[in-house]
Each structure stands twice: as structure tokens, then as C-alpha cells.
Amino acid sequence: MANVGSKGQSMISRVWTQVKPKIGAFSKYAKDELAPPTIGDISAMRESLKKIIKNTKNGSFKNITVREAWLNTLVTMEVCFWFYVGECIGKRHLVGYKV
């Protein structure tokens, strides 16, 4: 019985040594990516929105590369996906609302 305990302890220590660096990397990225926007981020978003509106008015949005258009499409699809996932979570059903 003591042998099982020592094997379990050694297995846990091996797993911990493998997982520890990954947890550190995850927490580092989570601090950056999951943080709320700062004042500098908000002003950058405002400038970006002004640029988009200006490009829409003068028609220069037609001169983007295929790569930029594809990236814009993917970002739009991701936003729509997360919107629909949030809807499903909010209504607690995949289809329809309880009426």
C-alpha cells in the first residue's frame, strides 16, 4: 500500500514539473489579453474608427489587399460567432426562447 502512495506522489510531481511552465505562460498571456481596455486603448480605437469612417466616405477601402480583406472577414466572423454563443448561453437553449 505504501508503494502505491509513493508512485502516486512521484507521478504528481512529474506532472507538476511539466505543467508549471505552461501555467506561467498562460497566466502571462491571460493578464495581457483578458485585461480591460486602458485609456490609451480607447483613444486608439477612436482613431481607428475615425480612419474607417474616412476611408468609407472617400472609397479608399476598395484598395485593400486580399490578405487584409480576408483578415477583416475572419474577424467579423469571430465577432458574430461569439455573439451567437453568448445568445445561446443567455437563453440556455440552442434554439428559441422559453415563452
Side-chain angles (χ1 to χ4, degrees):
M1 194 66 160
N3 192 14
V4 172
S6 65
K7 284 184 181 180
Q9 185 70 15
S10 67
M11 185 170 65
I12 290 172
S13 67
R14 278 186 280 142
V15 169
W16 179 249
T17 57
Q18 291 177 354
V19 170
K20 191 174 180 180
K22 294 177 183 178
I23 290 174
F26 172 78
S27 64
K28 176 186 152 198
Y29 290 123
K31 285 179 187 175
D32 293 337
E33 296 295 327
L34 299 177
T38 62
I39 300 298
D41 294 337
I42 293 173
S43 64
M45 285 186 269
R46 185 177 297 139
E47 292 300 320
S48 177
L49 186 60
K50 287 179 185 177
K51 181 180 168 186
I52 290 171
I53 291 171
K54 185 182 88 173
N55 289 342
T56 303
K57 287 181 180 177
N58 65 17
S60 65
F61 66 92
K62 297 175 188 174
N63 299 328
I64 63 172
T65 63
V66 174
R67 179 181 174 88
E68 290 173 347
W70 179 244
L71 289 175
N72 290 341
T73 303
L74 289 176
V75 168
T76 303
M77 289 171 55
E78 181 181 11
V79 169
C80 291
F81 170 75
W82 285 115
F83 173 77
Y84 289 122
V85 167
E87 282 284 315
C88 291
I89 291 170
K91 63 186 173 186
R92 295 187 180 157
H93 293 305
L94 291 176
V95 179
Y97 288 93
K98 285 187 177 181
V99 182

